[in-house]
Amino acid sequence: MRLINDERNAIDLRTTPVHLGLGSRAKPVEGFAWDPEVFQAYSAAVAADGAEGRMVAIFDGDGPGDHWERHPAGDELVVCLTGSVTVSRDVAGVPERVVLGPGEATVNPAGAWHAVDMAGPASILTVTAGLGTDHRPRTDAFPTDHVGTPAPQAS
């Protein structure tokens, strides 16, 4: 895995995500894979960008998502490119579902557990604050803990 500087050729965001970093730099991530070792190498390579770094990628799928995830470092933009998708999320303990068609988008707030289900073949584009991302298997309709639930306020 390596970041490419000054790429001017076509980039397939399905296989080569792009990292948006400090200084308004966009760097393709050559050799990226959703493998723990590769993701760790990516995280180390972009660590200097901190919470401001973003990964842009396209995902194709068909059917329900198999995991919940959350991005504590920042919001995530999810854009439906083709088909229909439902984004399910837990925001401060309140379950939400948003249905998207082509050209529609939604924002997953920082720290909110969320999952994406695709109704038939569909594609999404995501812009994600990847620092500190958590994943868990999708065994429940909604996560059981409520990250982002405000702490009780002292009176």
Side-chain angles (χ1 to χ4, degrees):
M1 186 292 317
R2 69 184 184 103
L3 298 176
I4 305 297
N5 290 309
D6 302 318
E7 178 62 53
R8 289 184 173 72
N9 293 316
I11 302 163
D12 183 349
L13 291 173
R14 289 170 174 83
T15 58
T16 306
V18 171
H19 177 78
L20 303 178
L22 298 179
S24 299
R25 298 291 304 178
K27 298 179 181 183
V29 185
E30 184 178 76
F32 185 83
W34 296 105
D35 168 271
E37 289 180 15
V38 175
F39 196 76
Q40 185 175 16
Y42 165 76
S43 296
V46 301
D49 293 342
E52 298 306 313
R54 297 289 184 271
M55 178 183 278
V56 180
I58 292 177
F59 300 94
D60 299 316
D62 185 353
D66 63 355
H67 68 279
W68 290 99
E69 66 179 21
R70 64 180 173 187
H71 312 287
D75 297 342
E76 175 183 55
L77 177 68
V78 177
V79 182
C80 179
L81 300 175
T82 64
S84 176
V85 300
T86 300
V87 178
S88 300
R89 59 185 168 228
D90 179 337
V91 179
V94 178
E96 296 179 353
R97 285 192 171 85
V98 179
V99 178
L100 304 174
E104 294 180 322
T106 190
V107 175
N108 291 320
W113 284 104
H114 57 277
V116 177
D117 298 318
M118 299 180 171
S123 295
I124 59 171
L125 177 134
T126 61
V127 181
T128 305
L131 185 68
T133 293
D134 293 317
H135 293 94
R136 67 162 61 159
R138 191 161 178 202
T139 55
D140 299 317
F142 281 93
T144 55
D145 68 321
H146 304 293
V147 174
T149 301
Q153 298 296 314
S155 315

